[in-house]
């Protein structure tokens, strides 16, 4: 029986090279807990110690648990900015979409208008949420393979002066595209707009500072670059902006302001049943992020993984959809190889049998599949994957 102290000891023992070694052992595709390595954009492969942290039941109104929640909130703010006094973190039940929806439904006033910059499914989903809530919405779409252009934003803001909020996806996971959030936020701010960033698949995996970037609301979830398990997400909010959102929510359970004020008043108490085991695993995942060397070190690992992957795939005649200058280090979309014999289902089945799960494509303009490299995934895993693809190459 493992209690929380054991889980902490286990993680503490994995200092430096030892932890790296332990992580590698953990990544073995033959581990009984892990029939395959997830090369997907989340849920992703987590460490054994993150999973072990869930082997205890927690009371939701006990001080120990609420203290853990407060500590997580504070560590998230410190991960997001060097100016933590201006920001707060709110944890929200559900998957990442629930958290994005809590922002969209809670921070835009009745007479507000949202501009969504889209170049993939997740941007479109934000516009869809706004439409469900009856929020006035306008969309600036860049197709599926073009980066968002900040200059176009400027023009749209001049044309439609009644826009109050601008939303953008940082890494559009549909393709792996990294969008220019710094330029977008800077222009939005010059025009006095509130900036909302869906950083679901990037936060924790790439250095950024919400205060420097002038972001008002940034959304991410437990099961992406922080490498926790699915069950909740979080919003990093500029406190002054969020404090003005009382009574605006169009949903009771997704009321971001109420969730925040209850957490503040109750010292870490969630309004409704919280995913206790998932929160405990997330605490462990945050420690492991720190042990790895923080966001900068994780960014380097992901970047090295992604470069190894793309270079190896090119040598096998499989090419990435995006140009490298707009490509994120988290997930890569590849064109299907140009062969009649190629079938994604066949590739998927062969790789799964060999211990790797990849991801189908999600765009209409081209036949693609995707390979993620976030989670407990190391160089040797990517090397092994490439070797298997070469050995199994049936097209
Ligand atoms: C994963 C992801 C989401 C949330 O998806 P869920 O399935 O609800 O967790 C939202 N936006 C982006 C960019 C994502 O990558």
């Amino acid at each position: 029986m493992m209690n929380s102290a054991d889980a902490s000891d286990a993680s503490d023992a994995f200092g430096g090279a030892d932890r790296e070694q332990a992580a590698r052992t953990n990544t073995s595709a033959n581990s009984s807990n892990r029939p395959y390595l997830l090369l997907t954009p989340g849920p992703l492969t987590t460490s054994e110690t993150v999973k072990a942290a869930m082997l205890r039941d927690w009371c939701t109104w006990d001080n120990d648990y609420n203290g853990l929640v407060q500590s997580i909130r504070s560590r998230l703010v410190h991960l997001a900015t060097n100016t933590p006094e201006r920001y707060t973190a709110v944890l929200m039940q559900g998957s990442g979409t629930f958290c994005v929806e809590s922002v969209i439904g809670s921070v835009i006033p009745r007479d507000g208008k949202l501009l969504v910059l889209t170049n993939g499914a997740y941007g479109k989903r934000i516009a869809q949420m706004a439409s469900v809530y009856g929020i006035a919405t306008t969309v600036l779409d860049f197709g599926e393979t073009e980066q968002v252009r900040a200059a176009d934003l400027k023009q749209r803001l001049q044309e439609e002066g009644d826009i109050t909020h601008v939303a953008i996806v940082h890494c559009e996971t549909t393709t792996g595209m990294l969008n220019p959030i710094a330029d977008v936020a800077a222009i939005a701010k010059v025009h006095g707009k509130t900036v909302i960033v869906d950083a679901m698949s990037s936060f924790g995996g790439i250095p950024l500072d919400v205060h420097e970037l002038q972001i008002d609301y940034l959304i991410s979830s437990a099961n992406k670059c922080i490498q926790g398990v699915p069950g909740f997400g979080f919003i990093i909010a500029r406190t002054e902006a969020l404090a003005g959102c009382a009574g605006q929510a169009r949903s009771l359970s997704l009321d971001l302001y109420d969730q925040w004020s209850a957490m503040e008043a109750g010292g870490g108490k969630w309004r409704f049943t919280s995913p206790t085991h998932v929160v405990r695993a997330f605490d462990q995942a945050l420690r492991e992020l720190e042990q790895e060397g923080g966001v900068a070190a994780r960014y380097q690992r992901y970047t090295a993984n992604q470069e190894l992957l793309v270079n190896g795939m090119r040598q096998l005649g499989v090419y990435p959809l995006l140009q490298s200058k707009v490509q994120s280090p988290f997930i890569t979309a590849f064109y299907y190889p140009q062969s009649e014999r190629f079938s994604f289902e066949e590739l998927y089945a062969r790789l799964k049998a060999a211990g790797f799960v990849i991801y189908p494509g999600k765009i209409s303009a081209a036949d693609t599949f995707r390979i993620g490299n976030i989670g407990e995934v190391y160089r040797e895993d990517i090397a092994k994957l490439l070797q298997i693809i070469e050995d199994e190459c049936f097209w």
Side-chain angles (χ1 to χ4, degrees):
M1 188 62 187
M2 181 171 257
N3 63 33
S4 70
D6 292 337
S8 309
D9 291 350
S11 73
D12 290 342
F14 294 157
D18 284 352
R19 196 189 107 66
E20 177 123 337
Q21 188 51 48
R24 278 166 208 212
T25 317
N26 281 342
T27 351
S28 159
N30 298 323
S31 156
S32 58
N33 278 338
R34 189 181 291 157
Y36 44 65
L37 195 69
L38 291 168
L39 297 178
T40 59
L44 34 69
T45 297
T46 58
S47 68
E48 296 301 316
T49 36
V50 162
K51 284 188 271 287
M54 290 186 285
L55 296 177
R56 174 178 163 180
D57 303 311
W58 291 75
C59 176
T60 50
W61 49 264
D62 183 79
N63 284 342
D64 292 347
Y65 178 71
N66 291 339
L68 186 74
V69 171
Q70 292 299 70
S71 152
I72 288 173
R73 293 178 63 208
S74 160
R75 283 138 81 201
L76 282 174
V77 171
H78 283 84
L79 267 189
T81 179
N82 287 325
T83 314
E85 61 278 11
R86 305 278 297 272
Y87 283 82
T88 186
V90 190
L91 313 187
M92 180 65 78
Q93 294 95 333
S95 83
T97 302
F98 292 60
C99 301
V100 177
E101 189 164 332
S102 80
V103 172
I104 299 303
S106 307
V107 310
I108 303 166
R110 300 284 147 177
D111 56 355
K113 181 173 174 182
L114 174 68
L115 167 62
V116 191
L117 305 170
T118 60
N119 54 355
Y122 292 102
K124 290 207 175 82
R125 191 178 291 175
I126 296 177
Q128 200 184 350
M129 287 168 190
S131 143
V132 167
Y133 285 132
I135 294 167
T137 307
T138 181
V139 171
L140 191 49
D141 185 50
F142 296 87
E144 292 174 318
T145 55
E146 295 287 310
Q147 221 185 13
V148 163
R149 281 184 301 274
D152 295 16
L153 166 67
K154 192 172 174 182
Q155 192 188 341
R156 180 64 69 93
L157 291 177
Q158 282 160 357
E159 285 164 8
E160 294 184 50
D162 55 346
I163 291 167
T164 53
H165 292 64
V166 175
I168 182 169
V169 178
H170 187 200
C171 169
E172 184 43 270
T173 317
T174 316
T175 54
M177 170 91 68
L178 213 48
N179 277 316
I181 53 169
D183 297 348
V184 163
I187 289 172
K189 279 297 161 193
V190 166
H191 290 80
K193 314 302 179 191
T194 300
V195 176
I196 300 167
V197 176
D198 171 351
M200 207 68 66
S201 58
S202 58
F203 184 76
I206 190 167
L208 61 80
D209 186 312
V210 285
H211 177 68
E212 278 172 22
L213 292 169
Q214 306 185 76
I215 293 168
D216 295 288
Y217 301 96
L218 177 140
I219 308 130
S220 190
S221 87
N223 61 282
K224 296 213 169 164
C225 295
I226 309 279
Q227 299 186 179
V229 301
F232 77 95
F234 52 90
I235 293 93
I236 312 286
R238 192 164 60 78
T239 312
E240 201 186 320
L242 181 57
C245 295
Q248 268 177 198
R250 287 120 178 125
S251 156
L252 175 78
S253 55
L254 295 179
D255 185 333
L256 182 65
Y257 177 88
D258 262 5
Q259 184 88 345
W260 172 62
S261 49
M263 264 181 194
E264 288 286 304
K269 195 170 166 351
W270 299 50
R271 279 183 310 160
F272 310 124
T273 298
S274 69
T276 46
H277 302 73
V278 177
V279 169
R280 188 63 186 79
F282 189 75
D283 169 66
Q284 179 60 24
L286 281 174
R287 288 171 202 237
E288 294 179 14
L289 172 58
E290 207 171 293
Q291 284 159 1
E292 185 171 349
V295 175
R298 186 156 290 181
Y299 173 69
Q300 275 173 19
R301 172 163 62 89
Y302 289 167
T303 302
N305 282 352
Q306 199 274 338
E307 284 173 3
L308 182 65
L309 175 69
V310 170
N311 292 337
M313 292 294 269
R314 278 184 194 281
Q315 279 171 15
L316 299 173
V318 185
Y319 298 98
L321 173 74
L322 301 179
Q323 290 186 309
S324 57
K325 65 175 195 286
V326 298
Q327 170 68 54
S328 74
F330 313 117
I331 184 165
T332 311
F334 292 97
Y335 285 111
Y336 282 8
Q338 285 193 327
S339 161
E340 299 266 300
R341 287 195 304 279
F342 181 79
S343 126
F344 173 72
E345 289 69 27
E346 178 73 24
L347 177 65
Y348 180 89
R350 289 184 187 219
L351 291 181
K352 186 176 165 191
F356 294 94
V357 162
I358 62 169
Y359 222 52
K362 204 173 180 163
I363 65 167
S364 51
D367 282 331
T368 57
F369 63 90
R370 290 175 289 171
I371 300 182
N373 52 256
I374 58 179
E376 283 291 306
V377 176
Y378 295 85
R379 225 183 142 70
E380 45 273 45
D381 299 310
I382 302 291
K384 190 173 165 210
L385 172 80
L386 289 166
Q387 188 58 54
I388 290 164
I389 295 177
E390 185 173 355
D391 294 347
E392 295 282 330
C393 192
F394 55 88
W395 57 88

